[in-house]
Amino acid sequence: MEPTKPEVTHEFPFFRVYNDGRVEKFNRSQETVPPTTNDPITGVQSKDVVISDDPKISARIFLPRLPAPTHKLPVLLYAHGGAFSAMSAFSPHYDAHVRTLATEARVIAVSVEYRLAPEHPIPACYDDSWAALRWIAAHANGDGPDPWLNENADFNRVFVGGDSAGGNISGNLALRAGSIGLPGVRFAGAILVHPYFGGVEADDKMWLYMCPSASGMDDYRMKPSAEVLGGIGCDRMLVFVAEKDHLCGPGKAYYENLKKSAWKGKVELVENKGEEHCFHLRITSGDDNAVVKKIVSFINHD
């Protein structure tokens, strides 16, 4: 008797699921790059650290060239994109992008390797990123596990940022900071680049599958209302949308809800005219990258 052929039970833009529980990711690339002791072009050093053993959470830290050994720099926690289900903080695209941000903005950048859905259902990505932000804050007294943060981090200028799913995660971190608090640091700002807030049926259905605990598409993590956004816990927000991106409309709706909310901070919307989703990741030079330039300005004019 021939074995039963597995059948597809769910098919989404980024993966399909079989009736035997197997998940097939369409983005098959698992390429990663190692950290760099001393980038010969930028002078940035990077290393990988363990945030938690249970669950397993890691991150890559980038330290730009310092004018003096005790010089203090802002800190940026970065969450990568990939529809909550793909990519890595250690992939070539994100290693290069976060390295550029560290160089151009002169920040200590911590790029979190959160667990991916659907193998690790949402809210694992939110919980892991929050754990990374708390890990950063644990260095505020100068006695944390990482010497770069102990010696060179300015905890009055802590930012979070990310693109696509990472933009959504960054917004949710800002909400969590507002409700729980983040002792020892000033949460200066959040940067949401082409954030994934749904709006297209295929994306909505995929998110609901990845987040079985969701209350529906009105879940505050995917469609935060003005009432919910009043609880944002940072001082400023920068939201990017791209004109040719199907996520442009939901990104603008997020911005409008934020302006209507009781939040007392400042928000700016930047629309990348004629551009597609996350176009900035394909630009290798910081000098030619409008998104990077705006992020640099946002961080350094705090």
Side-chain angles (χ1 to χ4, degrees):
M1 184 174 178
E2 293 185 7
T4 303
K5 184 179 180 180
E7 295 181 359
V8 175
T9 57
H10 297 87
E11 183 142 0
F12 302 109
F14 276 69
F15 60 88
R16 64 169 61 101
V17 183
Y18 292 89
N19 60 354
D20 60 1
R22 183 167 57 92
V23 175
E24 180 185 1
K25 299 284 181 77
F26 299 145
N27 183 353
R28 295 174 179 269
S29 175
Q30 300 295 322
E31 183 183 2
T32 60
V33 293
T36 305
T37 304
N38 192 357
D39 188 315
I41 298 174
T42 65
V44 173
Q45 303 177 66
S46 62
K47 63 182 177 183
D48 295 342
V49 297
V50 174
I51 302 295
S52 167
D53 287 317
D54 186 19
K56 186 176 181 181
I57 312 168
S58 57
R60 180 162 293 176
I61 305 185
F62 299 83
L63 180 71
R65 187 181 286 118
L66 297 167
T70 57
H71 186 75
K72 300 294 185 182
L73 299 172
V75 182
L76 170 66
L77 174 66
Y78 196 87
H80 68 80
F84 304 94
S85 60
M87 302 303 291
S88 166
F90 310 137
S91 70
H93 273 103
Y94 282 105
D95 179 85
H97 178 57
V98 181
R99 184 182 304 276
T100 297
L101 290 175
T103 303
E104 300 294 331
R106 299 205 51 76
V107 297
I108 301 174
V110 181
S111 188
V112 58
E113 180 76 341
Y114 56 82
R115 289 171 293 165
L116 299 177
E119 298 91 336
H120 302 282
I122 298 171
C125 57
Y126 299 131
D127 294 343
D128 293 356
S129 300
W130 178 247
L133 189 55
R134 290 187 63 190
W135 181 84
I136 290 171
H139 294 77
N141 293 327
D143 57 358
D146 186 76
W148 289 357
L149 291 170
N150 285 334
E151 297 166 13
N152 300 113
D154 179 354
F155 292 98
N156 285 314
R157 293 184 293 164
V158 174
F159 297 82
V160 300
D163 60 87
S164 195
N168 176 295
I169 290 169
S170 297
N172 276 277
L173 289 176
L175 280 173
R176 200 175 283 202
S179 63
I180 299 174
L182 201 63
V185 308
R186 172 175 162 255
F187 190 178
I191 302 155
L192 283 59
V193 183
H194 309 159
Y196 184 144
F197 286 116
V200 175
E201 184 179 7
D203 288 342
D204 290 349
K205 287 183 175 179
M206 183 169 69
W207 192 82
L208 287 172
Y209 180 83
M210 293 186 293
C211 187
S213 64
S215 60
M217 277 317 301
D218 60 347
D219 190 285
Y220 76 93
R221 293 164 291 188
M222 183 52 63
K223 292 287 190 295
S225 65
E227 182 179 8
V228 167
L229 292 173
I232 290 285
C234 61
D235 298 340
R236 296 184 298 135
M237 296 193 79
L238 177 62
V239 180
F240 291 88
V241 295
E243 184 181 23
K244 295 182 178 180
D245 183 5
H246 68 280
L247 297 175
C248 182
K252 287 182 177 179
Y254 177 91
Y255 166 76
E256 293 298 336
N257 280 339
L258 191 54
K259 287 204 303 179
K260 294 174 187 174
S261 76
W263 179 59
K264 301 301 183 183
K266 295 181 180 180
V267 60
E268 181 179 0
L269 178 72
V270 176
E271 183 170 0
N272 303 123
K273 296 289 187 179
E275 298 291 359
E276 298 180 349
H277 186 67
C278 290
F279 74 95
H280 63 292
L281 295 177
R282 299 186 291 273
I283 302 174
T284 57
S285 170
D287 291 336
D288 300 327
N289 197 320
V291 171
V292 168
K293 284 184 176 181
K294 186 63 182 178
I295 292 173
V296 169
S297 174
F298 178 79
I299 289 174
N300 290 321
H301 289 81
D302 177 39

